[in-house]
Amino acid sequence: MNRVTQRRRITTFRSTADPRRREDALAGEEPLEIRLGGSAFTVTMRTPGDDFDLVSGFLVSEGVVWEPGQLPSLRYCAGVDESGRQTFNVVEAQLRPGTVLPDTALERHVYTSSSCGICGTASIDAVRKSSRFDLRSDTAGADLEVLLGLPDRLRESQKLFDRTGGVHAAGLFTAGGELLCLREDVGRHNAVDKVVGWALREGRLPLTGTILQVSGRASFELVQKAQLAGIPILAAVSAPSSLAADLADDAGMTLVGFSRGSSLNCYSHPERIRAGSAADAGAADAGAAADAGPAGRSVPAAG
């Protein structure tokens, strides 16, 4: 059975035609239990697939690991559904001896939903973590035209979205716009964790000189995940939150939002963006417009 997508009979209603029954493809969503050292740590709702990347990235995001040798093995544990089939919904992560386990204060009371990567944490004080990678020392920049082209590059590679229309995407690019890794999931944070986990397993952390392009908004949790992976530039097609912008500024990260068509807004560390002469001439005006608040926004806010 294909668990990444599921077929479902639906009824389509149109004002100009009779209702029509047909099949549609839905993005799969199932729980994944993550175990550390034989004990359950959390359950997250995700789209099945790239589960080992998801678990690896999750552990990077929790500040538990930052190099592949700290995570010597990942395996699926026994678990069956009502028909007796393996569910592949429980992953055991074995940590290298001496690796400090997560603080129990970070344990999720019930589960992590696909819409929020930090909902359910015991305390908001435990959310903000210290990264082992210094983003301020990463001076590699990116051309404006490269950044403007990334949303289209990301969308062109979203195969699961083409089939379902119901998933988010995160793509890791070089400063020159080469796609290194793309992952899709019903959860924004899961898509990012899958990218970061891929990078950990490939021995690529820190992700110096790279750009993370995401399909939705830039939340605090996504900025934090990018920071912990050593990603200097995070770009989103929609808006960042105020806390996301604060964290990006403090961390030394270039945070881009509303990257659409021929314009984008930079909320922190714009020095990494190399603009052409025409853009340079209008940089002061653009900065003034950004300082002016919502009236200076060049495109309407999106959810």
Side-chain angles (χ1 to χ4, degrees):
M1 180 179 64
N2 179 13
R3 298 164 60 234
V4 177
T5 62
Q6 293 185 16
R7 306 295 298 183
R8 187 177 185 88
R9 294 288 295 177
I10 67 169
T11 303
T12 299
F13 291 86
R14 292 188 175 89
S15 61
T16 58
D18 293 334
R20 182 169 66 93
R21 293 279 289 171
R22 64 182 181 88
E23 272 201 347
D24 194 18
L26 302 181
E29 184 175 28
E30 297 180 14
L32 178 70
E33 179 182 324
I34 300 173
R35 295 181 181 176
L36 300 180
S39 299
F41 177 60
T42 191
V43 176
T44 184
M45 301 301 294
R46 97 298 188 194
T47 298
D50 302 305
D51 289 333
F52 288 176
D53 286 347
L54 173 58
V55 173
S56 299
F58 176 83
L59 293 175
V60 172
S61 297
E62 292 295 326
V64 178
V65 302
W66 53 91
E67 57 183 41
Q70 295 171 304
L71 190 58
S73 73
L74 293 159
R75 66 182 181 89
Y76 285 105
C77 298
V80 296
D81 61 17
E82 62 277 5
S83 301
R85 293 173 298 190
Q86 168 65 267
T87 62
F88 298 100
N89 281 339
V90 181
V91 170
E92 166 77 20
Q94 291 293 334
L95 302 176
R96 184 173 66 190
T99 301
V100 179
L101 291 174
D103 190 324
T104 55
L106 297 179
E107 291 184 10
R108 275 56 174 164
H109 295 304
V110 183
Y111 69 91
T112 302
S113 76
S114 57
S115 61
C116 178
I118 58 174
C119 297
T121 50
S123 168
I124 190 66
D125 294 333
V127 169
R128 192 161 179 168
K129 305 173 182 69
S130 297
S131 175
R132 293 179 177 269
F133 308 128
D134 180 15
L135 296 184
R136 293 181 183 277
S137 65
D138 188 346
T139 58
D143 291 339
L144 175 61
E145 292 305 313
V146 170
L147 285 170
L148 291 173
L150 294 187
D152 287 341
R153 295 284 309 282
L154 186 74
R155 178 64 187 87
E156 290 166 2
S157 301
Q158 289 182 249
K159 305 305 180 186
L160 185 55
F161 184 87
D162 287 340
R163 296 163 61 189
T164 67
V167 292
H168 293 278
L172 185 69
F173 293 86
T174 67
E178 175 190 355
L179 178 62
L180 298 174
C181 177
L182 181 138
R183 294 290 186 264
E184 295 179 273
D185 199 279
V186 288
R188 286 188 305 271
H189 63 96
N190 285 341
V192 172
D193 275 344
K194 287 179 177 181
V195 167
V196 172
W198 167 86
L200 175 78
R201 283 153 52 82
E202 291 290 318
R204 289 175 174 259
L205 296 188
L207 288 166
T208 305
T210 60
I211 306 166
L212 182 65
Q213 175 70 53
V214 296
S215 59
R217 61 186 176 87
S219 62
F220 170 89
E221 58 181 343
L222 297 195
V223 171
Q224 179 175 266
K225 290 174 186 295
Q227 177 192 9
L228 287 163
I231 299 172
I233 303 175
L234 171 60
V237 298
S238 191
S241 68
S242 60
L243 195 56
D246 289 344
L247 177 59
D249 193 37
D250 291 344
M253 181 187 299
T254 299
L255 179 61
V256 169
F258 292 106
S259 181
R260 305 171 182 173
S262 60
S263 68
L264 55 80
N265 293 341
C266 185
Y267 297 85
S268 61
H269 298 279
E271 63 274 7
R272 287 196 180 94
I273 301 177
R274 296 186 293 263
S277 57
D280 289 339
D285 292 340
D291 292 338
R297 195 180 301 280
S298 59
V299 292

